[in-house]
């Protein structure tokens, strides 16, 4: 099940099978049910997750009690509260499985040790974060450039498989829309 | 003028002065005028900038011709279009000086060579991007959680110096507000 991570690391850097197998001893492989919560707001952010199969999302609960998604992680993506993970502080986000998922999990101190032992991991995460950070800037461009209806239409055109996998109410908050607004747009498109 | 970068690198990793001086031969030190554009939408994104003094911002021009800021970079921050830089493709963003600034610039292939020669740089940029990526998630939380007025109020409370340095119309678009809306909020606060 860890072959996915091995392949992903080797897309960006070069790590041999023996080193990878040693590394894997520090990871937990989890089978996660749909809607299972892996990490909760208010707890110390000590773990980071790699999605082997399925989908996780990171969300917060807003002041009126609505869950709002700030990030999805499909296969080959990492998720945590990166800022709280970096500073080893309390997170304001939940991490939950959107689908039944298979996930690799590692804690901060183990990952730090691995990064020191296998410097290729620094290069790997530098690449992963560079892409994630850049993609976040593009998402701001989406949100700031288009009308609410255009945001949804363009997102569907660009990521059709993603849109089909994700429940509508989660997708709505991820795009900065209300679920009610998204229902209206969808109804309009179907009519 | 490069002492700032040396200090910043050594906040996250350990690089000696001799290695740093070798590295510096690959950087250009630029004195940039206020409003000077360093990189334009439509060009290949081949360079990344470190702010020694001053402030840069990254913006796009929306469909109605309005400039909208997606990122500010004050002292000790890096800026480029990280996704286009990673893939070495055309950028959709401009990078411009908000104030008269002193900036270090390096191109992609030189940085790649340096990263291979000095693996500490991989660790340094992993840290820088981890923080930047995490901060972007927090910004989505801001934008998705609060009313427009609250976004501005909380931002002012949290980053008062920043708010005083940045022109109001840039700050407005960065927070997902229109400049007109921000003027109204400010007038209301002063009345």
């Amino acid at each position: 099940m860890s072959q996915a991570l091995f392949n992903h690391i080797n897309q960006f850097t070069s790590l041999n099978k023996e080193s990878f197998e040693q590394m894997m001893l520090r990871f937990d492989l989890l089978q996660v049910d749909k809607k299972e919560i892996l990490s909760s707001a208010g707890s110390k952010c000590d773990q980071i997750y790699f999605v082997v199969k399925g989908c996780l999302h990171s969300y917060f609960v807003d002041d009126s009690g609505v869950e709002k998604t700030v990030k999805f992680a499909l296969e080959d993506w990492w998720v945590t509260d990166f800022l709280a993970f970096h500073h080893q502080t309390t997170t304001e986000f939940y991490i939950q499985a959107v689908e039944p998922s298979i996930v690799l999990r590692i804690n901060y101190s183990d990952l730090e040790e691995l990064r020191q032992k296998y410097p290729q991991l620094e290069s790997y995460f530098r690449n992963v974060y560079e892409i994630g950070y850049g993609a976040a800037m593009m998402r701001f461009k989406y949100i700031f450039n288009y009308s609410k209806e255009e945001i949804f239409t363009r997102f569907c055109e660009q990521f059709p498989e993603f849109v089909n996998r994700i429940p509508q109410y989660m997708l709505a908050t991820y795009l900065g829309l209300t679920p009610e607004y998204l229902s209206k747009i969808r109804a309009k498109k179907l009519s």
Side-chain angles (χ1 to χ4, degrees), chain A:
Chain A
M1 291 315 297
S2 59
Q3 185 68 29
L5 179 55
F6 178 75
N7 293 345
H8 199 241
I9 291 172
N10 279 285
Q11 273 182 35
F12 297 102
T13 185
S14 182
L15 187 75
N16 66 39
K17 202 76 191 175
E18 294 68 35
S19 301
F20 181 74
E21 276 162 13
Q22 280 302 308
M23 263 178 49
M24 276 299 103
L25 301 173
R26 304 292 190 97
F27 280 83
D28 299 314
L29 183 68
L30 312 175
Q31 297 246 10
V32 191
D33 292 334
K34 184 177 174 174
K35 297 203 174 175
E36 190 173 330
I37 288 177
L38 291 166
S39 162
S40 293
S43 61
K44 185 181 169 194
C45 184
D46 196 32
Q47 294 176 316
I48 186 167
Y49 306 89
F50 176 83
V51 179
V52 175
K53 194 166 165 47
C55 178
L56 305 182
H57 75 140
S58 171
Y59 69 91
F60 67 96
V61 179
D62 80 1
D63 293 345
S64 41
V66 178
E67 294 177 5
K68 292 186 170 172
T69 296
V70 292
K71 181 179 163 63
F72 288 106
L74 292 166
E75 287 84 7
D76 286 351
W77 273 105
W78 290 87
V79 64
T80 186
D81 173 348
F82 296 97
L83 204 57
F85 186 70
H86 178 88
H87 293 299
Q88 284 292 278
T89 51
T90 301
T91 178
E92 297 175 27
F93 299 97
Y94 294 82
I95 294 172
Q96 184 190 40
V98 177
E99 305 170 349
S101 300
I102 298 168
V103 170
L104 287 164
R105 178 181 67 189
I106 188 166
N107 69 39
Y108 184 85
S109 57
D110 280 340
L111 184 56
E112 270 300 289
E113 279 182 39
L114 290 181
R115 281 171 176 155
Q116 280 164 28
K117 195 164 176 188
Y118 307 104
Q120 301 100 313
L121 277 189
E122 291 286 22
S123 173
Y124 169 63
F125 276 102
R126 190 267 301 165
N127 276 281
V128 165
Y129 291 158
E130 190 167 70
I131 295 168
Y133 189 18
M137 294 300 116
M138 287 303 289
R139 194 165 143 221
F140 284 117
K141 183 171 185 283
Y142 249 81
I143 291 172
F144 292 165
N145 195 17
Y146 302 123
S147 71
K148 292 183 173 189
E149 187 162 346
E150 275 178 318
I151 288 173
F152 178 68
T153 307
R154 285 172 183 263
F155 197 84
C156 288
E157 283 168 10
Q158 217 173 339
F159 309 105
E161 280 187 45
F162 184 76
V163 172
N164 288 332
R165 275 176 78 170
I166 306 298
Q168 182 163 317
Y169 70 96
M170 284 185 198
L171 184 64
T173 62
Y174 178 74
L175 296 174
L177 314 174
T178 64
E180 297 71 27
Y181 192 89
L182 190 54
S183 294
K184 269 191 211 163
I185 299 173
R186 279 196 155 161
K188 202 170 130 188
K189 283 192 189 302
L190 292 171
S191 67

